[in-house]
């Protein structure tokens, strides 16, 4: 065996033996990151619950092709920003950016701002007019060094007509915007800050609190398939080269029209994404004015923004029995997750694109409950990779049936049981299930035995 190969194998073995240091952060079971082996269990995707219609875009300055919604939480308040496209085509300067706001994520109102005339009046909720409104994507900047006048930021821009934009020829690009209040906006510079991409979609950004930098996720084409690229920046003006998202070899290509990428509210090191998957050649409703194409929403996650886990190839949200959701460009998830603090998270999704009653529906998921390690009535178990104990107790977000259960054992490096939980049953978000105070600083593996139960997330805590 060649020395270089021996060295490589040794490094691999040492790396595999290095315990994962989770600190006190939450870890969600949306992938197999923590799992060394499992028997009789599987990751399960949980579909959201369809709730009420919260907005119909029926104002003269809005229209049936409003799109690219962003949900921004500021304290308990949530705002939805979106394109009002009644003014013209994708390249029209008459497009506007609108917003509505709510104190509960359900009842939204249009503020009467008096800033920009649209639809024949200034008595509207319009904050910007211009071609950048085609896909204006704002966020509340979590950068602790953000200037007060730049508390909100946004990217906005669009491909120019007459070019081979699907091949990467894209004059123009994405402009950087800033605002002190989310209402009054200005460009941070007169030239685009990102110029390589397709841009005919929602191109979003946010402050990555884990890595202390801005992250951007924008549209590209890979072999004529709609795809996503990631970029990073320290100042929101100078951006790294785009890196196309990567997936496991057995994951099929799909047209991802948008990405709706956001950091997980309780675990910001983990990026969650809800792409609108576009089936370009299908036609469920014959003669629809928008032509062919049907879509749904899928779910995926990433721990670095480039490599994405898609253990669930099925839809996260199906079009359902409503035929108006089977026409092109419906079922587009808004970017952003609203956490009202009641154990449910709200997301938003568009319906009835290019129909007179184009609208936004609220979706809810269990807190941290996009996916779980799932056990049916037969039960099973899984064992983690080596973990460094970093807290005096283990907290669980889990749910069982009336007869279901979980039992957790901490195994030392020799495989002996160093601590064991009582039988766990119920439905709790932060149940204290295991005393690890005597194991702090040591390396263990956790063996979890489950029956008729779901384990959504856990963390070490003090």
């Amino acid at each position: 065996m060649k020395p270089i190969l021996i060295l490589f194998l040794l490094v691999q073995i040492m790396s595999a033996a290095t315990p994962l240091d989770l600190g006190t952060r939450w870890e969600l079971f949306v992938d197999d990151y923590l799992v060394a082996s499992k028997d009789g269990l599987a990751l399960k995707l949980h579909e959201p619950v369809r709730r009420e219609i919260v907005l119909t875009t029926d104002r003269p300055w809005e229209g049936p092709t409003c799109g690219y919604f962003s949900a921004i939480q500021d304290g308990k308040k949530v705002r939805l920003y979106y394109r009002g496209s009644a003014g013209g085509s994708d390249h029209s300067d008459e497009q506007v950016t609108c917003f509505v706001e709510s104190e509960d994520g359900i009842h939204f109102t249009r503020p009467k701002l008096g800033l920009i005339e649209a639809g024949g009046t200034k008595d509207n909720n319009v904050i910007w007019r211009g071609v950048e409104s085609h896909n204006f994507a704002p966020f509340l900047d979590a950068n602790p060094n953000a200037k007060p006048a730049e508390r909100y930021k946004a990217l906005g821009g669009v491909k120019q007509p007459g070019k081979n934009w699907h091949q990467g020829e894209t004059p123009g690009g994405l402009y950087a915007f800033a605002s002190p209040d989310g209402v009054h906006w200005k460009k941070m510079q007169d030239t685009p800050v990102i110029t390589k991409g397709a841009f005919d979609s929602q191109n979003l950004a946010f402050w990555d609190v884990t890595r202390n930098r801005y992250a951007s996720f924008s549209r590209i084409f890979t072999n004529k398939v709609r795809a996503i690229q990631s970029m990073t920046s320290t100042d929101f003006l100078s951006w790294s080269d785009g890196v196309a998202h990567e997936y496991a070899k057995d994951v099929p290509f799909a047209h991802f029209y948008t990405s709706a990428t956001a950091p997980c509210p309780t675990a910001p090191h983990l990026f969650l994404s809800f792409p609108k998957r576009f089936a370009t050649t299908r036609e469920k409703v014959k003669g629809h004015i928008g032509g062919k194409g049907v879509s749904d929403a899928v779910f995926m996650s990433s721990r670095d923004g480039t490599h994405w886990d898609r253990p669930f190839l099925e839809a996260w949200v199906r079009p359902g029995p409503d035929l108006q959701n089977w026409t092109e460009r419906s079922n587009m998830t808004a970017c952003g997750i609203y956490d009202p603090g009641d154990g449910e998270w709200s997301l938003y999704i568009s319906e009835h694109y290019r129909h007179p009653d184009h609208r936004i529906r609220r979706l809810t998921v269990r807190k941290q409950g996009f996916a779980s390690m799932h056990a049916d009535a037969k039960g099973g178990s899984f064992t983690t990779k080596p973990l460094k104990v970093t807290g005096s107790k283990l907290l669980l977000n889990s749910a069982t049936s009336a007869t279901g259960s979980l039992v957790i054992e901490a195994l030392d490096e020799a495989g002996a049981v160093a601590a064991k939980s009582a039988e766990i049953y119920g439905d709790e978000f932060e149940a204290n299930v295991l005393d690890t105070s005597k194991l702090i600083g040591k390396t263990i593996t956790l063996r979890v035995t489950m029956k008729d139960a779901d384990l959504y997330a856990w963390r070490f805590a003090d």
Side-chain angles (χ1 to χ4, degrees):
M1 186 177 294
K2 295 181 179 180
I4 188 67
L5 181 56
I6 295 173
L7 178 60
F8 173 78
L9 291 175
L10 286 173
V11 170
Q12 291 297 99
I13 293 170
M14 292 174 64
S15 175
T18 301
L20 298 175
D21 186 348
L22 308 182
T24 57
R25 68 178 184 258
W26 280 103
E27 288 292 349
L28 278 63
F29 284 89
V30 294
D31 57 20
D32 277 324
Y33 173 71
L34 298 176
V35 179
S37 63
K38 57 181 181 282
D39 179 23
L41 306 180
L43 291 175
K44 178 180 178 180
L45 179 66
H46 294 276
E47 296 182 10
V49 179
R50 276 184 163 93
R51 301 294 188 183
E52 58 284 300
I53 302 299
V54 300
L55 179 70
T56 301
T57 60
D58 55 5
R59 297 299 191 267
W61 53 89
E62 293 173 344
T65 57
C66 288
Y68 304 138
F69 286 74
S70 299
I72 297 179
Q73 182 169 353
D74 192 351
K76 287 292 185 181
K77 180 179 292 186
V78 61
R79 288 173 168 174
L80 288 174
Y81 290 80
Y82 55 99
R83 176 187 71 207
S85 56
S89 70
D90 289 359
H91 312 290
S92 171
D93 285 329
E94 295 304 306
Q95 296 174 94
V96 295
T97 300
C98 313
F99 86 90
V100 293
E101 55 189 359
S102 171
E103 298 289 343
D104 60 6
I106 301 172
H107 305 92
F108 285 86
T109 59
R110 292 176 175 85
K112 298 179 180 180
L113 300 175
L115 297 176
I116 298 170
E117 183 176 341
T121 179
K122 281 191 174 183
D123 193 11
N124 59 42
N125 58 330
V126 173
I127 59 168
W128 189 266
R129 168 182 283 154
V131 69
E132 303 90 355
S133 288
H134 176 73
N135 53 12
F136 191 91
F139 65 98
L140 182 61
D141 193 354
N143 183 351
N145 297 316
K147 300 174 183 178
E150 299 175 355
R151 186 166 174 260
Y152 283 77
K153 289 185 175 68
L155 292 175
V158 69
K159 68 183 187 295
Q160 299 300 316
K163 294 288 183 178
N164 295 321
W165 53 272
H166 62 286
Q167 300 290 355
E169 297 179 23
T170 52
L174 299 177
Y175 291 86
F177 293 79
S179 168
D181 55 9
V183 177
H184 303 88
W185 292 84
K186 65 177 182 180
K187 286 183 178 178
M188 297 178 70
Q189 64 181 40
D190 292 333
T191 55
V193 296
I194 297 176
T195 58
K196 294 181 179 179
F199 308 138
D200 67 321
S201 177
Q202 186 179 46
N203 307 282
L204 58 92
F206 51 81
W207 176 255
D208 181 353
V209 300
T210 302
R211 300 163 188 86
N212 295 313
R213 63 191 185 188
Y214 294 98
S216 171
F217 299 89
S218 57
R219 161 75 74 78
I220 57 172
F221 276 78
T222 301
N223 298 323
K224 297 186 178 182
V225 175
R226 293 169 176 85
I228 308 164
Q229 67 178 352
S230 59
M231 298 179 177
T232 61
S233 172
T234 57
D235 62 2
F236 202 65
L237 298 176
S238 299
W239 290 86
S240 66
D241 291 337
V243 179
H245 285 184
E246 298 179 16
Y247 308 92
K249 291 182 180 179
D250 59 345
V251 173
F253 276 107
H255 283 274
F256 285 163
Y257 206 92
T258 55
S259 75
T261 304
C264 179
T266 56
H269 68 286
L270 184 65
F271 297 152
L272 307 178
S273 190
F274 309 87
K276 184 174 85 79
R277 180 172 56 180
F278 195 39
T280 60
T281 60
R282 288 194 163 188
E283 187 178 21
K284 182 67 175 176
V285 180
K286 303 296 183 182
H288 175 61
I289 188 173
K292 292 183 179 180
V294 297
S295 54
D296 56 20
V298 297
F299 172 82
M300 60 186 187
S301 64
S302 174
R303 294 175 179 274
D304 63 8
T306 299
H307 302 88
W308 289 82
D309 286 294
R310 287 194 63 202
F312 317 108
L313 299 181
E314 64 270 27
W316 180 62
V317 177
R318 296 180 178 181
D322 184 345
L323 274 181
Q324 288 181 300
N325 283 334
W326 283 94
T327 52
E328 45 82 47
R329 292 171 175 81
S330 289
N331 312 305
M332 187 183 298
T333 308
C335 173
I337 301 169
Y338 175 56
D339 179 9
D342 60 0
E344 276 191 334
W345 289 349
S346 292
L347 295 94
Y348 301 88
I349 195 165
S350 65
E351 297 182 341
H352 295 191
Y353 189 83
R354 220 183 291 274
H355 295 280
D357 63 342
H358 175 261
R359 61 206 196 176
I360 298 299
R361 183 184 294 277
R362 186 173 72 105
L363 308 172
T364 59
V365 297
R366 178 194 181 92
K367 177 183 178 181
Q368 303 170 328
F370 296 102
S372 68
M373 184 64 77
H374 175 74
D376 61 18
K378 293 180 181 179
S381 64
F382 77 93
T383 302
T384 69
K385 299 170 184 175
L387 305 175
K388 180 180 178 180
V389 179
T390 50
S392 60
K393 56 189 177 183
L394 183 70
L395 302 182
L396 255 60
N397 180 348
S398 63
T400 75
S401 69
T403 59
S405 63
L406 299 94
V407 174
I408 299 180
E409 297 170 293
L411 310 179
D412 64 20
E413 293 182 88
V417 177
K420 183 176 181 178
S421 75
E423 186 181 43
I424 303 160
Y425 56 91
D427 191 327
E428 299 181 69
F429 298 109
E430 295 189 34
N432 181 1
V433 300
L434 186 65
D435 181 358
T436 55
S437 58
K438 295 181 180 180
L439 302 174
I440 292 176
K442 296 182 179 181
T443 296
I444 64 167
T445 58
L446 293 176
R447 182 166 61 202
V448 184
T449 304
M450 305 171 55
K451 182 178 70 172
D452 201 1
D454 288 285
L455 174 56
Y456 301 99
W458 64 19
R459 75 179 181 102
F460 290 113
D462 289 319

